[in-house]
């Protein structure tokens, strides 16, 4: 049996295992929205779990460990340069014929999202995919609320330009909730 890290107990390991099981699906979907590749999304989530485990003794007593985990995934994405090499895989998926209209819409939006700068993509994903407030997004990314508002507006504008007919699916305005 693997030795436990100093200061950890079997109970902490079990709590962490339960946390991973409960949060894995949502974090993978969020990571996929950021990077557009399921394999890279899995890598981002695994990297985030490694970081979370190192701080598990603090994280386990937090009121919202899921929010902390989401922040770690977004930070891992922004820290990663691997997404640049993997961005081409999303374009290959868009070229495949869609089975359903919903799938075509999703792929088109994901392709447009992949063209945004990483930090802008993270802001747009947190605000509109994760439905986070301006303040929550700012806290998660370590930026000001003004930066979140301007990046949200700029990112939505860029998405509208790239999406053409699909732009009607985007929010009409950037509210400050």
């Amino acid at each position: 049996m693997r030795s436990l890290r100093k200061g950890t107990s079997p109970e902490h390991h079990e709590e962490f295992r339960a946390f991973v099981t409960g949060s894995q699906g949502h974090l993978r979907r969020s990571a996929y929205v950021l990077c557009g590749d399921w394999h890279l999304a899995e890598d981002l989530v695994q990297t985030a779990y490694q970081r979370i485990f190192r701080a598990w003794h603090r994280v386990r007593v937090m009121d919202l460990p899921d929010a902390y985990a989401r922040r770690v995934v977004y930070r891992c994405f922004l820290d990663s340069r691997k997404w640049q090499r993997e961005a081409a895989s999303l374009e290959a998926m868009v070229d495949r014929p869609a089975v359903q209209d919903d799938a075509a819409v999703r792929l088109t939006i994901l392709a447009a999202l992949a063209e945004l700068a990483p930090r802008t993509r993270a802001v747009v994903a947190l605000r509109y995919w994760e439905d986070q407030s301006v303040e929550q997004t700012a806290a998660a990314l370590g930026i000001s609320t003004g930066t979140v508002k301007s990046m949200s507006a700029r990112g939505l504008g860029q998405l509208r330009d790239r999406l053409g007919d699909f732009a009607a699916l985007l929010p009409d305005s950037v509210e400050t909730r």
Side-chain angles (χ1 to χ4, degrees):
M1 181 164 123
R2 212 171 67 176
S3 66
L4 298 175
R5 272 185 38 180
K6 184 178 179 180
T8 63
S9 68
E11 293 81 26
H12 288 166
H13 284 261
E14 286 304 315
E15 288 174 2
F16 183 73
R17 185 175 290 123
F19 171 75
V20 168
T21 301
S23 64
Q24 190 171 24
H26 180 73
L27 291 178
R28 280 187 70 234
R29 287 187 298 274
S30 296
Y32 178 76
V33 167
L34 289 172
C35 65
D37 179 90
W38 284 111
H39 297 290
L40 182 55
E42 184 67 34
D43 290 346
L44 286 171
V45 171
Q46 291 305 316
T47 301
Y49 282 143
Q50 289 171 349
R51 292 182 185 181
I52 293 166
F53 183 74
R54 285 194 302 260
W56 186 245
H57 62 282
R58 291 187 315 267
V59 176
R60 64 186 283 275
V61 296
M62 289 181 171
D63 289 335
L64 300 170
D66 291 331
Y68 178 79
R70 183 173 39 250
R71 181 184 320 154
V72 173
V73 168
Y74 278 77
R75 295 253 172 109
C76 287
F77 168 73
L78 291 175
D79 292 346
S80 171
R81 295 296 171 223
K82 189 176 179 182
W83 65 267
Q84 292 174 331
R85 293 188 302 272
E86 301 290 335
S89 67
L90 185 60
E91 288 182 39
M93 290 190 315
V94 173
D95 290 340
R96 282 192 265 153
V99 176
Q100 298 176 345
D101 289 337
D102 289 345
V105 170
R106 266 194 315 274
L107 289 175
T108 301
I109 291 173
L110 286 171
L113 191 60
E115 293 177 17
L116 297 178
R119 189 170 288 256
T120 302
R121 188 179 332 157
V123 167
V124 170
L126 275 170
R127 288 283 290 126
Y128 303 105
W129 171 261
E130 299 285 344
D131 199 28
Q132 298 291 303
S133 69
V134 170
E135 293 77 18
Q136 290 169 321
T137 302
L141 297 177
I143 58 179
S144 71
T145 57
T147 301
V148 170
K149 291 175 186 179
S150 65
M151 291 179 94
S152 295
R154 192 173 327 122
L156 286 177
Q158 291 171 351
L159 286 174
R160 279 190 189 88
D161 291 344
R162 291 181 174 121
L163 288 174
D165 294 338
F166 294 115
L169 300 172
L170 297 176
D172 289 330
S173 63
V174 179
E175 64 283 344
T176 59
R177 67 174 174 95

